[in-house]
Amino acid sequence: MSQEKMKEEDISYANVKINDHVLLDIVQVEEDLVKSIREKMISISSCHRINRVPQELKKGSEHSYTPKLVSIGPFHHGVDNLNAMEEHKWCYLNTLISRKPINTQTILENCVKTLRNLEDKARKCYGENTIEQIGSNEFVQMMLLDTGFLIELFIKFAIKGPQIHSKGTQMQLHNVLHLHDVGIKFKKAISESVMNIRFNKDRVLEIPSLKIQSYSEVLLTNMVALEQCGGGTKHVASYVYLMKSLVRSADDASFLTQREILDSSLYSDEEIFQLMLRLHVEFDVKDFYYSGLCEKVNGYKKKNKWKECWNRISNVYKKIAKTISG
């Protein structure tokens, strides 16, 4: 073989090697670019971000966006005026962990391991870098404490639940004063759950006391939303719907307040009524846990229709007499 021919083959082989090397470099660059873009998308995705309220929106109403009692998550973690609730969180976490009759050490180890694996993903949910000052152990402990507190809180409020009256197809119930006019009595019940509402054979509607706090509207709204998203039980939504049906005016609220069924030193009767009015609930009758109770109450009303008519006439007479005497 001539030297010129050998040189041409050597050059051709060298080009192949060079081209293969270039091709591999291009593929690697593309893979790195795709990986970088994906990581960037995940890290700044607005679909999974929890942001602070912008300062422009806070002006004049900072109190509406600042927690007054308890801190959940990293934004207000460690704030001095919220530290009083931290001890309660530990109590709630201890109660939750102790619900299972097995080694609490094992449960805690599994929780910490799971949360440790989720730490990076959880941090990326927040739209700023200020939470980087929270160390890894502190962040995992915060997640465990806050989630344990919320879960146990929901359990205390809902899982004990009402005595279910779901055998029925009715969701409609008249307001308090109307029911009182037809002979139904109201009594404050003693129960571990505010949702344990009963209608007994003595035509008494027994309702546990509901304490109206500054956070009640937010709590009930979020618990209803949680049920709607979860697709499971509708205990809280049913309770809210029933109470909204009963309290349709400030006079209804006043009636229940006088009987200590509604308990609030913070709000007037009109404010309690407006709170009930703002609570929004929508669900199917098949998910309503008080439909059987409503049927019992409405069944009693039908039997006492004459009394309802008489009470209406009596009320009209009283109003006329009051107007004349005034």
Side-chain angles (χ1 to χ4, degrees):
M1 182 181 293
S2 66
Q3 289 186 348
E4 290 183 0
K5 185 70 173 176
M6 290 178 65
K7 285 182 180 179
E8 287 178 1
E9 289 181 353
D10 289 343
I11 292 171
S12 176
Y13 178 70
N15 286 337
V16 169
K17 289 186 69 176
I18 292 171
N19 289 338
D20 285 347
H21 180 69
V22 171
L23 180 61
L24 289 173
D25 282 347
I26 292 173
V27 171
Q28 185 63 46
V29 168
E30 288 181 349
E31 289 179 351
D32 291 344
L33 179 59
V34 170
K35 182 180 179 181
S36 174
I37 291 172
R38 179 170 177 78
E39 289 176 352
K40 191 73 172 175
M41 289 169 59
I42 293 173
S43 65
I44 66 172
S45 174
S46 59
C47 296
H48 303 283
R49 173 164 292 179
I50 303 169
N51 293 295
R52 288 187 189 271
V53 178
Q55 289 296 329
E56 310 85 70
L57 293 178
K58 281 187 177 181
K59 290 178 181 177
S61 58
E62 286 83 357
H63 64 283
S64 299
Y65 302 101
T66 304
K68 300 176 181 62
L69 185 65
V70 61
S71 166
I72 300 295
F75 282 160
H76 301 279
H77 177 68
V79 175
D80 290 341
N81 66 313
L82 301 176
N83 284 336
M85 276 298 295
E86 294 302 297
E87 184 175 340
H88 291 285
K89 286 185 185 179
W90 285 109
C91 292
Y92 273 58
L93 177 62
N94 181 55
T95 302
L96 178 66
I97 297 295
S98 302
R99 284 183 177 275
K100 285 285 186 181
I102 58 177
N103 192 336
T104 57
Q105 180 72 20
T106 302
I107 296 176
L108 284 173
E109 287 175 357
N110 291 336
C111 288
V112 170
K113 183 179 179 180
T114 301
L115 291 173
R116 182 77 73 188
N117 292 333
L118 292 171
E119 180 189 356
D120 185 59
K121 186 176 182 181
R123 285 180 180 271
K124 288 177 180 177
C125 289
Y126 293 89
E128 57 180 75
N129 297 324
T130 56
I131 65 169
E132 291 179 358
Q133 63 189 5
I134 304 177
S136 179
N137 286 345
E138 185 179 358
F139 194 88
V140 170
Q141 177 178 290
M142 177 201 68
M143 287 197 294
L144 176 62
L145 189 60
D146 288 354
T147 53
F149 166 71
L150 289 174
I151 292 170
E152 181 62 24
L153 179 66
F154 291 153
I155 289 174
K156 286 181 180 294
F157 192 89
I159 299 304
K160 288 180 181 179
Q163 291 185 352
I164 303 305
H165 307 274
S166 58
K167 294 181 180 179
T169 58
Q170 295 187 21
M171 289 180 63
Q172 299 300 322
L173 200 63
H174 277 288
N175 63 306
V176 166
L177 294 182
H178 180 92
L179 294 175
H180 178 67
D181 283 344
V182 299
I184 293 174
K185 301 174 183 177
F186 290 81
K187 177 184 176 182
K188 182 180 79 170
I190 305 300
S191 176
E192 291 183 341
S193 170
V194 295
M195 296 181 286
N196 194 12
I197 301 173
R198 300 183 299 272
F199 184 61
N200 66 31
K201 60 182 180 180
D202 297 320
R203 67 180 187 279
V204 177
L205 199 55
E206 298 180 353
I207 307 175
S209 180
L210 173 64
K211 192 170 183 65
I212 308 293
Q213 306 277 18
S214 57
Y215 55 81
S216 294
E217 182 177 355
V218 174
L219 177 63
L220 291 171
T221 299
N222 280 273
M223 292 190 72
V224 168
L226 179 67
E227 286 186 339
Q228 300 286 10
C229 296
T233 61
K234 299 293 187 293
H235 288 176
V236 181
S238 296
Y239 174 77
V240 170
Y241 186 91
L242 186 69
M243 293 304 291
K244 279 173 62 71
S245 298
L246 293 173
V247 181
R248 300 189 194 181
S249 70
D251 289 336
D252 290 327
S254 176
F255 184 93
L256 295 181
T257 300
Q258 291 170 18
R259 285 154 181 79
E260 299 180 345
I261 293 173
L262 291 177
D263 179 12
S264 178
S265 58
L266 298 176
Y267 301 105
S268 66
D269 297 327
E270 177 62 29
E271 288 172 328
I272 293 175
F273 163 60
Q274 291 298 329
L275 184 152
M276 292 292 179
L277 207 58
R278 289 192 297 270
L279 295 174
H280 181 70
V281 186
E282 284 186 3
F283 54 92
D284 195 275
V285 64
K286 65 180 176 60
D287 296 320
F288 185 52
Y289 286 94
Y290 297 102
S291 58
L293 181 141
C294 289
E295 286 195 352
K296 288 181 182 179
V297 174
N298 291 332
Y300 173 83
K301 278 178 56 194
K302 290 178 181 178
K303 294 177 183 178
N304 292 271
K305 200 74 177 177
W306 65 270
K307 188 169 185 177
E308 179 182 354
C309 295
W310 173 253
N311 284 331
R312 285 182 178 178
I313 295 171
S314 177
N315 288 335
V316 171
Y317 173 78
K318 289 176 182 177
K319 289 179 181 179
I320 295 173
K322 186 176 180 180
T323 301
I324 295 173
S325 62

